[in-house]
Amino acid sequence: SEALFDTLGQMVAQGLSIIFISHKLAEVLRVSHRLVVLRHGKVVAEAPAQGTSQAQLAQWMVGHALAPPVRRPAQNVGAPVCVLQAASTPATGREHLRNVNLSLHAGEIVAVAGVSGNGQVALAELLSGTRTLSTGSVLLLGQPLQARPARLVAQGVARIPEDRHAVGVVGDLPVWENAVSERLRSPAFSRLLWVRRAAARAHAKNVLAHFDVRGGGPEGPGRALSGGNMQKLILGRALLAPNGEPPQLIVAHQPTWGLDIGAVAYVQQQLIAARDTGAAVLLISDDLDEVLTLGDRVAVMHEGHLTPARPVEDWS
């Protein structure tokens, strides 16, 4: 990032005009001379970067004052929900695990930091049932974890994938089908291989209302949703089971990537709320501020290896 900013500075010195578009407020203030804020397609503010604060920028962006998430330590850490012991996965370039040990406890957020491409995808896919072990073991609720995604969903594993467009949502399907896609074969939504459309649509409407998903309604296509609303839909699908049971384990991979600051705050608050109701949360993020704000324990992944997860207070 710093190398990019240096290059932009050289270009400006040579007389070029540059438009820099970003949701990251610190970067905007670091690189810009003048700021313009768009909201709903309209210019709502224009100001010099010098003298403008992140809080003022955030207020212009969302239309009201926005309090950033405040770090609250876990109050009721429970028993281990998921335990990895010397877990390794088959090598696929750099994206594999090497002898990883990790325990995820109820009522706690464990945050994994690191540069993308160092094994984070392998870790998320392993715990979601879409990648298998080569050596080692993974226990979920005391039993060997099965590489069967539908089974894991039924056991209370909630997945928030890294790529919401290619993996999280099927753009051609309506929102209501996306809202039930991971539980389509459960008795709540199907019988003898026939989809119970009324029940599925009713659940989708509940997800949309509960998680404030806007844009198109349950019959609109998934691709019509903005990034923030798409992520809210995925959150709702993961966290709101038709039987009302909260998730046991949440695997959240880059849950706020590319979102505006209002959507970021919403997603982070939902993860904290899920932790406080007893879920074990694995947060995988490139954003160090997010890692240090949300994590109760923090580990770092590099070239497939994972450091021990230590209390967040131990890290700078």
Side-chain angles (χ1 to χ4, degrees):
S1 296
E2 287 299 323
L4 170 63
F5 297 155
D6 288 343
T7 301
L8 295 180
Q10 293 170 21
M11 292 178 173
V12 170
Q14 293 168 8
L16 290 174
S17 295
I18 294 177
I19 299 175
F20 182 78
I21 303 171
S22 177
H23 289 142
K24 295 191 175 183
L25 304 189
E27 290 186 355
V28 168
L29 293 172
R30 158 74 173 78
V31 78
S32 304
H33 299 95
R34 189 160 50 91
L35 308 172
V36 175
V37 179
L38 292 172
R39 189 171 71 243
H40 302 308
K42 296 180 180 179
V43 174
V44 295
E46 187 170 351
Q50 187 172 3
T52 301
S53 67
Q54 290 194 37
Q56 181 63 71
L57 264 180
Q59 183 168 342
W60 286 335
M61 288 170 65
V62 300
H64 56 80
L66 190 66
V70 177
R71 210 198 109 59
R72 301 196 319 266
Q75 298 297 318
N76 299 298
V77 179
V81 172
C82 185
V83 179
L84 290 78
Q85 296 178 323
S88 299
T89 61
T92 305
R94 294 172 64 193
E95 276 299 338
H96 63 285
L97 302 182
R98 300 179 180 181
N99 200 39
V100 167
N101 296 288
L102 180 66
S103 62
L104 304 170
H105 292 250
E108 180 186 46
I109 297 176
V110 174
V112 173
V115 177
S116 288
N118 277 273
Q120 295 95 324
V121 170
L123 178 60
E125 290 183 352
L126 176 65
L127 297 183
S128 301
T130 58
R131 188 177 293 225
T132 58
L133 282 171
S134 56
T135 58
S137 66
V138 181
L139 298 179
L140 176 65
L141 301 173
Q143 300 296 321
L145 182 142
Q146 303 179 38
R148 295 171 53 198
R151 172 63 178 163
L152 296 186
V153 171
Q155 289 179 294
V157 177
R159 178 185 68 149
I160 303 170
E162 177 184 28
D163 191 335
R164 68 184 72 99
H165 296 280
V167 179
V169 168
V170 182
D172 288 335
L173 294 184
V175 168
W176 74 264
E177 288 194 56
N178 278 289
V180 302
S181 58
E182 292 191 336
R183 295 184 174 90
L184 194 57
R185 294 199 177 195
S186 72
F189 302 128
S190 65
R191 185 172 183 270
L192 300 176
L193 300 183
W194 290 90
V195 177
R196 301 176 61 188
R197 290 173 179 261
R201 283 187 169 94
H203 179 70
K205 289 180 179 177
N206 189 29
V207 169
L208 300 191
H210 192 83
F211 285 82
D212 192 30
V213 181
R214 304 179 185 183
E219 302 299 331
R223 66 161 49 90
L225 298 176
S226 67
N229 282 295
M230 197 176 287
Q231 196 71 337
K232 289 180 183 180
L233 174 65
I234 293 169
L235 268 175
R237 180 179 67 199
L239 303 183
L240 198 62
N243 60 8
E245 289 291 325
Q248 301 274 352
L249 171 65
I250 300 170
V251 181
H253 191 185
Q254 306 287 16
T256 61
W257 179 84
L259 300 184
D260 67 76
I261 191 165
V264 166
Y266 181 87
V267 171
Q268 291 178 342
Q269 288 163 3
Q270 294 299 316
L271 293 177
I272 292 172
R275 177 204 69 178
D276 291 344
T277 58
V281 181
L282 175 66
L283 169 68
I284 302 172
S285 178
D286 291 349
D287 188 331
L288 295 184
D289 289 335
E290 182 168 70
V291 164
L292 296 173
T293 298
L294 299 187
D296 297 301
R297 287 187 294 137
V298 173
V300 178
M301 180 160 278
H302 178 66
E303 294 186 351
H305 297 283
L306 189 68
T307 69
R310 305 202 307 265
V312 65
E313 295 81 8
D314 292 355
W315 297 89
S316 67

